[in-house]
Amino acid sequence: MTASGRSETADDLLAALLDGMDAALCAFDADGVITHWNREAERILGWSAAEAVGRKGFEGWAVRAADAQDVQDRLMAAQDVPGRQVHEFALLTKSGGRVLVRTQSAGVPGADGKPAGVYCAFSAVHAQIDLERSIALSEALMEDASWGVVLVDVDLRPAVVNAHAARAFGSGRTALLGRPLGDLLTQGVEELEGALQHVLAEGAPPRPVELWVSVRTPEGVRRRCWRCGFLRLASPLAEEPVPLGVALLFQDVTDARRAELDTAQLRFRSHQLHRAGRAAAECEDPAEAAAVRLDFALAGFAEHALLDVVDGSQQPVDGAPLPRLVRFAASPPEFPAPGSIPVRYEAGHPVLQALERSGSVRTSSPRGEAAEEWARSRQWPQGAAHGLCAVLRSRGRTLGTLTFLRGPSRAAFERADAAYAEEVAARVAADLDLATRDTGTA
């Protein structure tokens, strides 16, 4: 290929590169004559390359006469100073309108190192401001946002984590990058990954989603409620949307949700106590009223309730050895049937602990121990994993115990549960006290 052919090929390549740029670009030689003008410049101002190339500066066509000399001087001054120069000018479009543009210009040295001209990249100010706002927003979200931001790649691994999210995970920002979500959460992983996969495939849901997760932190596992929003990220440079991942934005609303749950729970339990009182009032036999209260107390609280009373042949006296207990009622009633044979509780049993302390006792099966064996050894129904024992007291006497049991799928009993159980036990004890007085056994 001849030198002329190589030069033409290089010129064609340069023209193709300039026309493919997203920014408007023009170039001036050392005398200020325009040598290059790409398609983006034509799109912004309306002047074609044929109309622009060969003109000296913008005077008489792309700038007002009063501004022409100042614009020309500031642009050409870039060839005499190092680095890039940033200016804002009001240029004229071919249709006669005005466009405020922001320019970045720099000198072009010749082969001998002397100034050979200036290249100038420019864009409409509003577009530049939009870009700067986007960058500023990204930086603010990654640093100062009051909610967590996690950018997840298509493999569902964190790629960028802001400071707030890092604190929520109880780790450093860089320590979270590239790790599977299963390493960070002990519960709620399936729900979160399912939501992320849905966003990648179908797009973001129309409204925020609340997820309960258990976060693995150096201080231990923490149960949290996150209000999550999702955004699917796609490359703006591809002809068709190419998913880059998902942006997860979340706020910790645990305290608010727990307060709502506690309020709803308190309202429901108060309603159950009221209903139980109304039903018990219709029972002629106080002993039947005590059993009715058990059925109402179980709703939403436990799977089993066991009512054990002091053996009628013993006189319960405070300070005396612990009395024997007889099963009086159970709900559901199939386990075990009431009878007169004392329940064989071994020493250290939670029921006996409650009697000794004259207060409620909470217990759960240890991790690693089969719940069935744990329940069997305590004379409790199969599948019981959490127990709560309350003492029946009336007129200064201990009348028995009330035990509530939950299965392994339920949470362990908490202090609020103990308070509710004690309230039920007090009402059941009043019924039993009335029953014993009616039968003359007191």
Side-chain angles (χ1 to χ4, degrees), residues 351-427:
V351 167
L352 301 182
Q353 293 180 32
L355 283 175
E356 186 175 4
R357 301 175 187 176
S358 192
S360 59
V361 172
R362 291 175 286 154
T363 182
S364 296
S365 60
R367 291 186 179 180
E369 181 177 334
E372 291 78 6
E373 180 59 31
W374 180 82
R376 188 182 303 111
S377 66
R378 286 159 179 77
Q379 305 295 318
W380 284 342
Q382 183 179 3
H386 309 288
L388 171 56
C389 306
V391 179
L392 305 176
R393 298 276 297 176
S394 180
R395 292 192 296 160
R397 301 181 306 159
T398 298
L399 303 184
T401 60
L402 176 57
T403 301
F404 291 102
L405 301 171
R406 288 177 178 173
S409 62
R410 300 280 297 274
F413 289 102
E414 299 178 351
R415 290 184 180 180
D417 300 322
Y420 177 64
E422 291 168 359
E423 181 65 27
V424 175
R427 301 185 184 208

Side-chain angles (χ1 to χ4, degrees), residues 304 330-337:
H304 295 275
S331 184
E334 62 268 12
F335 181 91

Side-chain angles (χ1 to χ4, degrees), residues 8-27:
E8 291 176 358
T9 302
D11 290 344
D12 292 340
L13 176 60
L14 177 59
L17 290 174
L18 294 179
D19 284 340
M21 295 178 63
D22 291 331
L25 187 139
C26 64

Side-chain angles (χ1 to χ4, degrees), residues 263-281:
T263 300
Q265 184 183 79
L266 184 62
R267 185 184 302 113
F268 174 76
R269 290 178 178 178
S270 176
H271 182 60
Q272 285 298 100
L273 289 173
H274 175 73
R275 292 180 60 202
R278 294 285 297 273

Side-chain angles (χ1 to χ4, degrees), residues 2 8 56 85 114 217 279 359 370 387 397 433:
T2 64
E8 291 176 358
K56 185 171 182 177
Q85 303 295 308
K114 295 181 180 180
T217 69
R397 301 181 306 159
D433 192 14

Side-chain angles (χ1 to χ4, degrees), residues 150 165-171 176 184-185 215-218 222 226 250:
V150 180
R167 289 192 297 270
F169 281 104
S171 181
L176 300 173
L184 310 175
L185 306 175
V215 185
R216 185 183 286 113
T217 69
R222 296 186 300 177
W226 290 347
F250 67 91

